[in-house]
Amino acid sequence: MNYFLPDASELLSAEESAVVQAKLWQLFKYRASCYLMNESTSMPESVAQELIKSICFTLGLALKAEQRSVRFLLDANFDALFRRGIRVIEADVAKAKRLLRIAKAGSPQIRNIYFEDTLNSISDFQKKYFYYYFAHEITCCIDYLLCTSVPEELFGVEYICEYLRRIIAENIFLACFEVQKVKSLLCHNHGHYKTMPLNLCEPVFINALGLALAGKEPRRLTLESSDCEKASAVIAIGGEAAIVQAAEQLCESLKISDAFAKRYFCNVAASQAIRLVGASEQGCLNNAFV
Amino acid sequence: MSQEYGFDLVLFQRSEGIAALQKANDFSQKFGLVLNDAEISALTERRFESLKSVGRVEFGEGILPKIIYTFADSPYLMKDNYFTMLDELQDCFYYYKNENCDVLSDDEMLSLMRQLFDNKAEGVIYKLCDLLTERFCGFAEETEEADEEGDE
């Protein structure tokens, strides 16, 4: 319960927690008998664990969608809440399908087998996603790394939707640059970028960010040593805030209007800040760029 | 598992299990087989030990009432060995439920056990276990052979 209905134990007293557990037990019994088609009264512990995770995940989704606190569980009809959770999942599955279409349509003209395999695997996600019993599972193979990974507290279709949103944001970003320039940058970064498990966007973003920090045209993608010095001076004065601000300016200059993409790249910049500030302090910022 | 989820399965199962065994007692009484409160309590505890040892989770009242309903009229169950037999049949059931990978439903499994117990096993638990092992090993081999044929 703790994983998918967060802070439940903190918000509920011991007595209240017992009430919720009793309701959860009744729902588990019903779901388990449905899963076993009333043919058995016991199951391997590993399967029971997954069923409980799935029930808690589904209830948690319904609570989240209805913006209710964990205390709502005290009076809630768990069967009805579970059904509402299933409807949220079904809506999310449809959303994931739409997002996948957008992600595929906007894929960069740069090959990477991990990128392609991951999108193909997500295409099969729906076929293997048995959300009535295993809603929290991520039933596809996600090998392609993102600039910043999806938070670990997301599961099932929630994870897939968030992953695809991030892929779309990265696609939007990469589409702002000439393919040849991106290819040559990636090749410089790693000769076998087509067959390596690496992110296509990150080196492009880092160099573009460096140029934005130096006040240069980001589409150029290559930094001179003078650009590194200027970027280092800006970082020395403004620190992380300057880096995030440069990311905002970068999105504006690239005419990225998508709100999620803008927010995403500001977060990517913030996640890179420690590395960039550190390199700047050591006087080796040029090593941080490709 | 219960601690991991803040979800005490055993607590719920215990009370349900005891109530169901008391009800099953009314049925077995017709055959002169009755469990006293201490035996009911002990069998309920043994149920959790047995489940734990084979890594299974049970929901609802447990398999013991069903074992009682299936075996109560067996000629090999007597007042003196009733408690011990139930305990061993319970262990046997959970163990072979795992061994057959849940292919058989509870009812099918109990029916098979009863048939073997009354006939070839002659009411001896270890013989019953041997026969079940034989049956499920055979079943596994048959399944593998069928899979191989299917692949071809």
Side-chain angles (χ1 to χ4, degrees), chain A residues 118-165:
Chain A
T118 298
L119 288 193
N120 287 336
S121 179
I122 294 176
S123 302
D124 291 337
F125 166 75
Q126 208 179 347
K127 287 179 208 158
K128 298 174 192 162
Y129 188 44
F130 302 118
Y131 51 83
Y132 273 88
Y133 300 108
F134 304 107
H136 62 294
E137 287 189 346
I138 299 163
T139 51
C140 54
C141 193
I142 296 188
D143 289 333
Y144 181 69
L145 302 169
L146 294 166
C147 279
T148 55
S149 47
V150 176
E152 282 179 8
E153 57 267 23
L154 294 184
F155 293 88
V157 69
E158 260 199 320
Y159 181 97
I160 296 296
C161 284
E162 183 59 25
Y163 182 85
L164 288 170
R165 275 189 213 104

Side-chain angles (χ1 to χ4, degrees), chain B residues 3-18:
Chain B
Q3 282 174 354
E4 194 180 344
Y5 295 99
F7 188 79
D8 198 345
L9 288 171
V10 173
L11 184 76
F12 296 106
Q13 287 171 315
R14 187 177 285 121
S15 55
E16 284 175 345
I18 288 175

Side-chain angles (χ1 to χ4, degrees), chain A:
Chain A
M1 188 162 78
N2 299 339
Y3 290 137
F4 302 103
L5 301 173
D7 55 33
S9 54
E10 287 167 24
L11 291 172
L12 302 174
S13 67
E15 291 78 21
E16 289 170 334
S17 194
V19 171
V20 171
Q21 283 183 21
K23 288 177 167 193
L24 196 53
W25 166 242
Q26 292 304 328
L27 182 59
F28 167 69
K29 257 171 55 172
Y30 176 69
R31 300 302 314 155
S33 59
C34 289
Y35 176 73
L36 295 166
M37 295 184 288
N38 286 320
E39 288 190 340
S40 181
T41 58
S42 62
M43 57 172 61
E45 195 178 308
S46 54
V47 180
Q49 278 184 353
E50 296 308 308
L51 278 181
I52 293 174
K53 279 184 189 174
S54 175
I55 290 168
C56 293
F57 172 73
T58 308
L59 294 176
L61 278 187
L63 287 185
K64 208 191 283 181
E66 295 171 13
Q67 295 182 327
R68 295 187 195 273
S69 83
V70 170
R71 298 197 66 78
F72 177 75
L73 294 173
L74 290 168
D75 300 316
N77 174 335
F78 271 36
D79 286 333
L81 190 65
F82 182 82
R83 282 197 297 274
R84 296 206 292 278
I86 289 290
R87 284 202 290 276
V88 173
I89 291 171
E90 285 168 345
D92 280 351
V93 168
K95 196 190 291 173
K97 224 172 162 183
R98 284 198 302 278
L99 290 170
L100 179 65
R101 264 202 307 273
I102 298 168
K104 278 188 167 176
S107 294
Q109 305 296 308
I110 304 153
R111 289 206 68 181
N112 177 275
I113 55 166
Y114 288 89
F115 181 88
E116 290 162 14
D117 287 352
T118 298
L119 288 193
N120 287 336
S121 179
I122 294 176
S123 302
D124 291 337
F125 166 75
Q126 208 179 347
K127 287 179 208 158
K128 298 174 192 162
Y129 188 44
F130 302 118
Y131 51 83
Y132 273 88
Y133 300 108
F134 304 107
H136 62 294
E137 287 189 346
I138 299 163
T139 51
C140 54
C141 193
I142 296 188
D143 289 333
Y144 181 69
L145 302 169
L146 294 166
C147 279
T148 55
S149 47
V150 176
E152 282 179 8
E153 57 267 23
L154 294 184
F155 293 88
V157 69
E158 260 199 320
Y159 181 97
I160 296 296
C161 284
E162 183 59 25
Y163 182 85
L164 288 170
R165 275 189 213 104
R166 289 172 187 230
I167 284 282
I168 293 166
E170 293 187 8
N171 287 351
I172 290 171
F173 189 84
L174 283 171
C176 298
F177 299 89
E178 276 177 39
V179 174
Q180 275 315 314
K181 278 189 181 170
V182 174
K183 279 184 178 173
S184 97
L185 180 77
L186 290 171
C187 209
H188 192 70
N189 186 39
H190 202 298
H192 300 288
Y193 70 88
K194 287 179 188 172
T195 53
M196 290 299 288
L198 47 79
N199 180 268
L200 297 173
C201 188
E202 192 179 354
V204 179
F205 174 75
I206 285 291
N207 272 26
L209 183 68
L211 287 163
L213 280 163
K216 295 289 172 63
E217 165 54 46
R219 286 182 180 84
R220 211 175 75 191
L221 279 185
T222 47
L223 282 96
E224 308 292 335
S225 53
S226 60
D227 299 328
C228 291
E229 282 163 21
K230 276 185 192 168
S232 191
V234 173
I235 292 170
I237 297 165
E240 183 181 333
I243 294 169
V244 175
Q245 200 185 346
E248 282 171 18
Q249 287 163 359
L250 174 63
C251 289
E252 271 176 39
S253 67
L254 295 173
K255 296 188 173 54
I256 293 174
S257 56
D258 185 89
F260 179 86
K262 277 187 196 173
R263 221 171 34 246
Y264 179 65
F265 284 105
C266 286
N267 288 337
V268 175
S271 70
Q272 294 284 343
I274 297 175
R275 193 167 72 93
L276 293 176
V277 170
S280 172
E281 283 169 359
Q282 300 290 319
C284 56
L285 189 64
N286 54 331
N287 291 344
F289 303 116
V290 181

